[in-house]
Amino acid sequence: MQDWEHKQSGSAGVYTYNDGSCQMFLGFENKFQNNNLSLAVFTGATNVGEDNAGLLVDLKESYKYDDRGIFNNNVRIRNTFSEGTNTTQIRVSPLTVTVPVGKTTSVYANPHYVGKYNYNTQQWTQGAGIFVGVEQKIGSSSIALEGQRYNIQDWNKHKGNWGINAIYTKTF
């Protein structure tokens, strides 16, 4: 059995939504990989709403179905803690497809299910979505640009529920 490989990275991202809202984050990730399985913890800061900063803690799992990593699954449990907004979001992606289009560029599609519990309102919400994007590796860094569509399970009710995300990651 292969030993666990440890990787560390820092990331910054901006999620811009069509309703004019914006979420930003900045944080640090510890990832452990063994064969096709990876487990990670991401901790950082984020804005929650217009004037509210918060703590972000993600627990992540990813499993490659094939050795090239074209087909994989992933699970992310995102916890956000701030004054007035405390949530846990579970995102399950049973089949993510990542296709290399060069030595340092890949495109990907990630259909997913999302469930979110808000501890302040004691409400559970859920939905399905997809994000598609392109990632460019530059040395030990990468830049990803993606479009995301939320709540596709009710297309007519949520026609305008989408966003554009930009993410920069530096691996140490």
Side-chain angles (χ1 to χ4, degrees):
M1 182 176 219
Q2 177 184 352
D3 290 330
W4 288 91
E5 179 184 0
H6 179 225
K7 292 184 178 182
Q8 296 177 320
S9 62
S11 293
V14 176
Y15 298 164
T16 304
Y17 306 103
N18 68 306
D19 66 2
S21 63
C22 179
Q23 180 178 8
M24 297 175 280
F25 70 88
L26 177 65
F28 185 73
E29 181 175 275
N30 278 293
K31 181 188 285 187
F32 298 89
Q33 292 179 279
N34 184 338
N35 296 323
N36 291 355
L37 176 66
S38 73
L39 303 171
V41 176
F42 177 90
T43 55
T46 186
N47 66 313
V48 181
E50 291 183 21
D51 300 320
N52 197 0
L55 174 67
L56 179 69
V57 179
D58 286 350
L59 306 173
K60 302 177 182 180
E61 171 275 340
S62 179
Y63 183 79
K64 297 177 186 176
Y65 293 128
D66 62 295
D67 289 335
R68 292 184 60 205
I70 292 174
F71 302 103
N72 59 77
N73 78 45
N74 58 72
V75 175
R76 183 192 72 195
I77 301 171
R78 171 165 285 174
N79 299 282
T80 305
F81 307 101
S82 70
E83 187 177 330
T85 304
N86 298 289
T87 62
T88 296
Q89 180 193 71
I90 301 169
R91 185 182 74 200
V92 178
S93 306
L95 181 60
T96 298
V97 179
T98 304
V99 179
V101 292
K103 287 185 178 184
T104 59
T105 306
S106 59
V107 294
Y108 55 90
N110 183 332
H112 55 273
Y113 161 81
V114 172
K116 184 175 184 178
Y117 184 76
N118 185 319
Y119 296 96
N120 300 83
T121 63
Q122 299 181 353
Q123 289 184 317
W124 173 261
T125 57
Q126 58 187 346
I130 187 168
F131 54 90
V132 295
V134 60
E135 181 180 52
Q136 176 68 49
K137 294 185 186 284
I138 306 165
S140 61
S141 298
S142 66
I143 298 171
L145 182 62
E146 60 189 29
Q148 187 161 0
R149 179 69 164 89
Y150 305 93
N151 296 311
I152 60 176
Q153 75 279 0
D154 189 351
W155 192 262
N156 291 328
K157 183 178 177 183
H158 300 286
K159 286 182 180 178
N161 201 346
W162 56 273
I164 297 173
N165 310 328
I167 304 158
Y168 171 79
T169 301
K170 168 73 174 161
T171 301
F172 306 107

